[in-house]
Amino acid sequence: MKKRMLMLLMILSSVLYVSAQELKVTGTVTNAATGAGAEGVSVTVKGSKRGTVTGSNGDFSITANKGDALVFSGIGFVAKEVTVDDATMSVSLEAAAGNLGEVVVVGYGTQRRSNITSAVATVKGDQLIKRPIASTSMALQGFAPGVVIQQGSGQPGADGGAINIRGIGSITGSSSPLIIVDGVEGVSLNDVDPNIIENVSILKDAASTAVYGVRGTNGVILIKTKRGQSGKTSISYNGFVSQQTPTNFPNLLSSVDHMILENEYSTNAGGPVIHNDAKINTYRTTSADNMNVFNTDWKDLIFQNSGLMQNHNIIINGGSDKASFLVSGTYLNQQGLVVNNSFKKYDLRMNGDINLTKKIKFTTDLFYTKSTSVQPGGMSPNEIIQRGISMARLWPGKFDNEKYGDAGQSNRINPVGAAESSGFNHAETPTLSVRFGLSAEVFRNFVIDASYNARTSNTEAYVARGSYDVYNPNPATNTYLLAQVIGDSALNYTNRRNITNQYNISGTYSYNLKQDHQFKLQGGFQALDNRVTAVTAGRQGLPDPNRPYLNLASPTQQTSGGSATDYSLVGFFGRFNYNYAQKYLLEVTGRYDGSSRFSQILNKQWGFFPGVSAGWVISRENFMQDVSFIDFAKLRVSYGETGNQEVGENYPFVSTINAGTAYYFNNVLTGGSSLGNIPNEAISWETSKQSNIGIDLTVLKNRLNVTFDIYQKKVEDNLIDFPISLAQGYTSSSTIPRNAASFVNNGWEFSATYRDKIGKFNYSITGNLSDVRTKTLDTKGRDIVSGNQLTREGYPLFSYFVFLTDGLYQQGDNFTVPSNSTRTTGAGDIKFVDVNKDGIINASDRVLIGNNFPRYDYSLNLNADYKGFDLNIFLFGVGKRDNYISGVAVQPFNAGNWFASGLESALDRWTPTNTDAKYPRLYSGGNGNYVSSDYWLRNGAFMRVKHITLGYTLARNISEKLRIQQLRVYVNTVNPFTFSNYEPGFDPEVSNTNGSFYPIMRTTTVGINLKF
């Protein structure tokens, strides 16, 4: 009996001893690089099967003995062992090479890169800062495959890029993606200073954008700005100064060549000689004196502005464990090439975070920006440049005494006078956005997030037109005589106010079942309302455009107007994530949206948009453990359905009322109103169905990352117009819109990054390549026409509808077969192809050919650094694209509403001695040579060196002596070289030019990054 009691006491003592050593260990795992909680990290007791996984904030709880080793491991992190010596611990994990451990912003939440199952591209803010340019949209160009960003202008304030994600998103509606900055929708991407951006996420497939419902078809761009960090307050300054010049610009004919070619132009059509030999010889032998002989350099006269650009940014960052803040201020001043053309912008951003308790966090974001755009009042910069490249040098532009010539025009409008003295087109837009957010962990792993945003912008614009005097020279008296006063001295004023309110609330619950099963469930609600009001007024007789006040103009001729419109949106969204052993991943999303833009009576306001995606991390399978060169491999598949409500006005399903419509009743003209457009109450949003298959691969010890996606995006219910009879009484429309058309985009995307180092030399190479092909599926038999581009079933969207050509007629050819009754064909004219073989050239011979949307979009990004020096070279290009060129860009002496000259390219026109010419013979009226044909289609493919940046960062030991954290200086050039076979003098990145354009800029920049 005593032995049994002794044995029992020994067992009980052992149990008590072991129990005394066991601890319930709780703690938090964070990312060492960002300080953010690391979700999904495996925590195991070494040598046992006990384990758990960190929650959404990186927290964990596990039972272990004192002295045990806890192993922390996760994809994208370097594994770490920590010995248990206390019941609480904080563990910081270093990121492994590559980006698998980074936290990526997705719709209404975040995910680790390794767990993403849809098509999401990311760009870090540090990458954007290396591109010192005015528009953030252009800074994004080339970073993400499948994201096409096209710049169409270099005009200050209008030099941003048009963004298309995975092709065109609509035939008649908007194809622009939804932009969201720190949860705030509707913000212009170019209003966000790259210096303040932490990262950018681009959601490309419908599985990732389904949570945005009726606004998800065209993709979503999520921007997260920087926030305050606890610790010592730091101050940083980032600034640069740039000189802008055109990337390309056409050259005018000389005065002598102009006269020779204009004579040819006239006499070929049976007209008289315009310039006699004596005049031509005078210009050949006599220097210009601006009285008898002229040699006007229109480009020099028009481009009198400095073209300087400067950008200055200051960021103040600091805080403690309880509260942190970040304040950023930016000033941008961009001068154009044309006089009285500039853009200025002021930004102020304040981001604040307050930890009310360990579980409750309050955030507030205040953003204020004010932009000011100035243009000449009497003519747009594009038109000034268009006239400048087409005015003859022998026409007087500006005399030595600052008086304007008549520019050889019957109406005496002078583009130099229009630039300098026609008044001002001035627009100022202050915008204020305030956001309040609250995040509370109600209980373990259940977090509620709520936010409210109010955003107001108020555009005050006026066009104050002035007048300028035009003179004619009088050689007899060596004086200049007043010929005409140009301009109407009018003032037009507009005030437009835009107010948006946005409300969000969501709840997220994370649950781990043992170690291998991780669940996350999210549900939320969003509401948005917007109202836009506008007031307009105008008066004639403004005495001075520098004093643009209505009361100073004449009250005898005045106008006034106003408008108001609003819309609202309500949505319920949800997401479910399942992760088994970091190997099998599933995500299901959905949104139920209601939009006021469509009919409630016909139940067209509400719709459901689902998305589902799955991932298989192949590299975690047992059969892959012996494949040493593969570090990570994941296969992704996704499908989703989204909508596009941007299909016209806010209420396309109802008629607008046109006030002021008069009608005779009993021979008395009576005022009234009329219906302006033809309503269709059955109108709804356009829809898209998208599928995606992708693979993510990391090999060679995390040196090489590869991503490949192939997708199909089918867009249905496109809004197109159908004709109806005018007899129905509508004043402004003869068509009715219907959701009737559909098309499909098929594409693929490839991206690869290689990183390595040789001693202290670090380098990386990133290459992107993508392609998308569009095919029209159904238009109900209708052709959708847009200029010389047409959309027809079976062809790409917006194909060119043109005649085919077979070179130029030569002497001795049969000019009458096929017959072309619209012209007298001769040698040097364009030879059109009789496609249908009926012996006649007419509209039936036109075909669909070519496409303007870029294909084989590619980029190459090279980075290197060595002992403080850093180098970045970025190349961007398009492998296949067609551009149509017309107007003064190729047709000499014909500008429509003004007298024109020609470009130097016209020297290569057909003549009996130049039969292998590039351009047809000169002929007054064109002789049919300039109708839409493939003769004027140009190869728009190009490769451009977009950026070269060389920087130097001061060594740390020296900067510490100077009491600064960092000092970096750099030089940069944008668009220094372009390689293409495009039309001489024009930029291939600009679409379909007729000579009206603002050239894209080549810039040379000096900058500094300074941090205290």
Side-chain angles (χ1 to χ4, degrees):
M1 185 68 181
K2 290 182 179 180
K3 289 183 178 180
R4 290 180 179 179
M5 289 295 296
L6 184 60
M7 182 68 68
L8 183 61
L9 287 172
M10 290 177 64
I11 293 173
L12 182 59
S13 298
S14 299
V15 170
L16 290 174
Y17 177 80
V18 171
S19 299
Q21 296 300 307
E22 272 192 349
L23 297 173
K24 183 179 181 181
V25 182
T26 60
T28 304
V29 180
T30 58
N31 185 325
T34 65
E39 181 182 7
V41 173
S42 174
V43 185
T44 59
V45 179
K46 188 175 182 179
S48 75
K49 294 184 177 180
R50 277 179 291 171
T52 186
V53 179
T54 58
S56 58
N57 295 320
D59 53 340
F60 69 93
S61 176
I62 190 171
T63 300
N65 293 325
K66 198 168 186 179
D68 282 347
L70 296 185
V71 180
F72 298 84
S73 62
I75 297 175
F77 293 107
V78 177
K80 188 174 186 178
E81 288 188 16
V82 179
T83 301
V84 177
D85 59 6
D86 199 355
T88 60
M89 65 172 59
S90 295
V91 179
S92 179
L93 296 184
E94 297 290 338
N99 60 0
L100 295 175
E102 73 176 354
V103 176
V104 176
V105 178
V106 295
Y108 302 106
T110 59
Q111 288 184 6
R112 284 179 60 197
R113 163 67 64 185
S114 59
N115 292 339
I116 290 178
T117 52
S118 51
V120 179
T122 58
V123 182
K124 295 181 179 179
D126 292 343
Q127 296 172 287
L128 301 177
I129 296 175
K130 293 181 179 180
R131 301 180 176 184
I133 53 180
S135 60
T136 304
S137 56
M138 287 308 300
L140 275 175
Q141 187 182 56
F143 273 126
V147 181
V148 175
I149 302 178
Q150 302 180 76
Q151 186 175 15
S153 173
Q155 181 177 334
D159 55 355
I163 303 176
N164 291 91
I165 297 177
R166 293 191 163 182
I168 297 171
S170 176
I171 296 176
T172 59
S174 172
S175 293
S176 299
L178 176 65
I179 309 294
I180 302 176
V181 180
D182 290 337
V184 177
E185 300 181 10
V187 179
S188 170
L189 184 59
N190 295 318
D191 279 345
V192 185
D193 185 351
N195 289 291
I196 201 67
I197 294 176
E198 182 173 320
N199 56 61
V200 179
S201 296
I202 304 173
L203 314 185
K204 297 190 285 187
D205 65 343
S208 60
T209 65
V211 289
Y212 294 103
V214 292
R215 297 158 300 154
T217 286
N218 298 320
V220 180
I221 297 179
L222 305 173
I223 297 177
K224 180 184 178 184
T225 63
K226 298 174 181 177
R227 309 200 70 83
Q229 302 293 324
S230 60
K232 182 181 178 180
T233 298
S234 66
I235 301 175
S236 61
Y237 166 78
N238 306 284
F240 64 83
V241 177
S242 302
Q243 177 65 61
Q244 305 172 102
T245 57
T247 56
N248 211 345
F249 204 80
N251 294 319
L252 267 173
L253 290 169
S254 69
S255 296
V256 172
D257 287 334
H258 167 89
M259 290 185 282
I260 294 173
L261 267 63
E262 191 172 26
N263 282 343
E264 193 177 311
Y265 170 81
S266 176
T267 56
N268 280 347
V273 172
I274 298 174
H275 307 281
N276 58 44
D277 290 342
K279 182 179 179 181
I280 295 175
N281 287 330
T282 297
Y283 270 81
R284 277 197 177 116
T285 59
T286 307
S287 299
D289 60 6
N290 238 10
M291 178 65 71
N292 299 283
V293 177
F294 301 93
N295 186 28
T296 303
D297 187 339
W298 293 99
K299 175 183 173 182
D300 181 66
L301 290 175
I302 289 172
F303 291 172
Q304 284 291 305
N305 206 354
S306 65
L308 284 175
M309 176 173 63
Q310 56 180 308
N311 185 283
H312 307 278
N313 167 261
I314 294 177
I315 297 176
I316 304 174
N317 184 338
S320 64
D321 293 337
K322 296 292 185 180
S324 61
F325 68 92
L326 183 143
V327 179
S328 171
T330 304
Y331 169 67
L332 169 69
N333 185 324
Q334 185 180 15
Q335 296 295 317
L337 301 175
V338 176
V339 177
N340 292 321
N341 183 205
S342 64
F343 179 75
K344 296 179 182 180
K345 186 176 69 169
Y346 302 87
D347 292 342
L348 176 65
R349 176 175 289 274
M350 293 186 288
N351 294 343
D353 300 279
I354 302 175
N355 296 317
L356 301 177
T357 69
K358 290 184 178 181
K359 302 291 186 180
I360 301 176
K361 182 178 180 180
F362 176 76
T363 62
T364 178
D365 303 333
L366 184 148
F367 174 63
Y368 174 79
T369 180
K370 185 176 79 170
S371 63
T372 303
S373 173
V374 178
Q375 302 178 32
M379 191 180 290
S380 72
N382 280 24
E383 189 176 356
I384 290 171
I385 293 172
Q386 184 184 35
R387 296 202 181 206
I389 68 170
S390 61
M391 293 289 188
R393 291 180 178 272
L394 72 162
W395 295 336
K398 194 173 183 180
F399 302 116
D400 296 336
N401 55 8
E402 299 299 310
K403 294 179 178 179
Y404 301 112
D406 64 8
Q409 305 299 307
S410 59
N411 60 13
R412 296 186 171 87
I413 294 177
N414 185 320
V416 182
E420 296 179 348
S421 304
S422 67
F424 307 97
N425 183 341
H426 182 280
E428 185 174 274
T429 304
T431 300
L432 177 64
S433 174
V434 181
R435 179 183 180 273
F436 302 103
L438 188 69
S439 178
E441 187 173 7
V442 180
F443 53 83
R444 179 177 169 80
N445 291 334
F446 179 62
V447 179
I448 291 179
D449 293 290
S451 67
Y452 167 72
N453 169 252
R455 184 165 53 89
T456 301
S457 66
N458 192 79
T459 299
E460 185 178 39
Y462 64 83
V463 180
R465 292 195 294 272
S467 60
Y468 57 94
D469 298 335
V470 170
Y471 294 82
N472 287 332
N474 185 353
T477 61
N478 201 35
T479 59
Y480 301 95
L481 303 177
L482 178 65
Q484 188 174 337
V485 178
I486 304 298
D488 58 2
S489 301
L491 175 62
N492 293 297
Y493 173 84
T494 300
N495 190 295
R496 184 175 184 270
R497 192 179 187 190
N498 189 323
I499 301 174
T500 303
N501 294 292
Q502 182 181 325
Y503 317 83
N504 290 281
I505 186 169
S506 66
T508 304
Y509 178 64
S510 302
Y511 176 69
N512 300 328
L513 181 62
K514 296 186 177 179
Q515 185 176 352
D516 290 335
H517 302 276
Q518 301 174 41
F519 301 88
K520 182 186 285 188
L521 183 65
Q522 182 185 35
F525 165 81
Q526 180 192 25
L528 182 149
D529 61 77
N530 171 265
R531 181 173 177 81
V532 178
T533 58
V535 175
T536 61
R539 280 185 172 183
Q540 299 289 323
L542 181 69
D544 182 1
N546 290 297
R547 303 177 69 191
Y549 309 115
L550 286 168
N551 65 312
L552 298 180
S554 173
T556 58
Q557 300 181 56
Q558 59 185 13
T559 60
S560 63
S563 63
T565 182
D566 58 10
Y567 77 91
S568 59
L569 180 75
V570 173
F572 301 88
F573 60 89
R575 174 188 284 115
F576 169 75
N577 291 93
Y578 172 65
N579 180 336
Y580 174 69
Q582 303 292 318
K583 188 188 306 182
Y584 307 115
L585 312 168
L586 175 68
E587 179 174 278
V588 180
T589 60
R591 179 166 177 135
Y592 188 57
D593 253 346
S595 174
S596 67
R597 295 187 174 187
F598 308 103
S599 172
Q600 184 178 20
I601 296 175
L602 296 185
N603 195 28
K604 295 293 182 178
Q605 289 188 331
W606 291 89
F608 179 69
F609 304 92
V612 60
S613 60
W616 176 26
V617 184
I618 307 170
S619 55
R620 293 188 65 89
E621 296 288 354
N622 291 331
F623 61 80
M624 292 291 293
Q625 300 310 304
D626 293 332
V627 185
S628 59
F629 71 93
I630 295 180
D631 305 298
F632 180 81
K634 178 175 64 179
L635 180 68
R636 297 176 280 104
V637 294
S638 71
Y639 174 81
E641 299 178 7
T642 55
N644 180 14
Q645 69 168 2
E646 304 298 330
V647 291
E649 302 296 329
N650 282 346
Y651 299 96
F653 65 96
V654 296
S655 288
T656 57
I657 304 297
N658 291 335
T661 304
Y663 196 82
Y664 281 96
F665 290 96
N666 297 324
N667 294 322
V668 177
L669 188 63
T670 306
S673 300
S674 63
L675 297 178
N677 65 299
I678 305 167
N680 181 357
E681 293 185 352
I683 283 177
S684 184
W685 46 72
E686 299 174 348
T687 59
S688 70
K689 300 175 181 178
Q690 304 179 43
S691 55
N692 187 97
I693 299 176
I695 186 168
D696 301 325
L697 187 65
T698 302
V699 297
L700 304 178
K701 296 183 178 179
N702 293 309
R703 291 188 182 94
L704 177 63
N705 296 318
V706 177
T707 297
F708 180 79
D709 285 85
I710 184 169
Y711 63 88
Q712 182 181 86
K713 178 179 178 180
K714 185 177 181 181
V715 184
E716 300 175 325
D717 303 318
N718 269 255
L719 211 64
I720 59 175
D721 290 330
F722 289 81
I724 67 165
S725 172
L726 287 173
Q728 296 192 31
Y730 294 93
T731 60
S732 302
S733 177
S734 60
T735 61
I736 183 170
R738 287 173 51 193
N739 295 100
S742 62
F743 65 90
V744 63
N745 294 338
N746 291 295
W748 53 267
E749 301 161 355
F750 172 81
S751 179
T753 298
Y754 184 83
R755 299 181 182 89
D756 202 358
K757 64 179 181 178
I758 303 173
K760 295 183 178 180
F761 178 74
N762 302 291
Y763 66 94
S764 69
I765 304 172
T766 298
N768 293 323
L769 177 64
S770 64
D771 183 37
V772 59
R773 293 171 289 110
T774 301
K775 183 179 180 181
T776 307
L777 300 177
D778 187 12
T779 60
K780 298 298 183 284
R782 291 188 51 75
D783 286 342
I784 303 168
V785 181
S786 176
N788 66 350
Q789 292 176 281
L790 184 144
T791 297
R792 177 182 290 173
E793 294 170 5
Y795 292 88
L797 298 180
F798 308 114
S799 298
Y800 294 102
F801 192 44
V802 296
F803 290 98
L804 293 181
T805 61
D806 186 23
L808 301 176
Y809 280 105
Q810 301 296 334
Q811 292 173 328
D813 287 349
N814 187 341
F815 304 134
T816 61
V817 179
S819 172
N820 188 340
S821 59
T822 62
R823 68 174 180 173
T824 303
T825 306
D829 287 330
I830 292 176
K831 185 187 296 186
F832 296 106
V833 175
D834 182 16
V835 174
N836 60 6
K837 307 298 183 183
D838 64 355
I840 303 173
I841 300 296
N842 55 27
S844 300
D845 293 305
R846 288 183 295 178
V847 300
L848 287 168
I849 187 174
N851 189 260
N852 182 245
F853 193 82
R855 293 190 58 190
Y856 305 114
D857 208 56
Y858 63 90
S859 66
L860 187 65
N861 197 14
L862 310 173
N863 288 283
D865 64 82
Y866 178 75
K867 292 186 175 180
F869 289 94
D870 61 89
L871 175 68
N872 171 255
I873 301 175
F874 176 67
L875 290 82
F876 172 78
V878 171
K880 184 178 181 181
R881 185 193 190 198
D882 298 300
N883 261 346
Y884 195 86
I885 192 161
S886 61
V888 298
V890 290
Q891 185 175 3
F893 313 115
N894 187 1
N897 61 347
W898 74 88
F899 299 134
S901 181
L903 306 180
E904 278 188 354
S905 55
L907 294 173
D908 192 17
R909 81 285 186 200
W910 187 96
T911 66
T913 60
N914 185 31
T915 57
D916 192 26
K918 182 177 180 180
Y919 301 94
R921 65 170 174 161
L922 299 175
Y923 197 100
S924 180
N927 200 30
N929 287 320
Y930 300 99
V931 299
S932 293
S933 73
D934 67 346
Y935 200 89
W936 304 113
L937 277 180
R938 295 291 185 261
N939 180 2
F942 66 91
M943 185 186 77
R944 169 166 278 167
V945 179
K946 292 290 291 188
H947 296 269
I948 300 177
T949 304
L950 176 63
Y952 176 73
T953 302
L954 195 65
R956 181 179 295 274
N957 59 340
I958 299 177
S959 60
E960 287 177 350
K961 292 179 181 178
L962 298 175
R963 297 185 178 181
I964 58 177
Q965 293 187 40
Q966 183 189 48
L967 172 61
R968 175 178 177 265
V969 293
Y970 64 89
V971 292
N972 166 274
T973 180
V974 178
N975 298 328
F977 309 109
T978 302
F979 305 92
S980 77
N981 293 316
Y982 195 53
E983 186 71 16
F986 293 93
D987 196 306
E989 199 168 348
V990 178
S991 297
N992 300 335
T993 183
N994 63 357
S996 177
F997 70 103
Y998 203 112
I1000 293 176
M1001 294 294 106
R1002 176 186 292 118
T1003 66
T1004 303
T1005 301
V1006 176
I1008 184 173
N1009 307 124
L1010 179 62
K1011 187 174 183 180
F1012 295 94

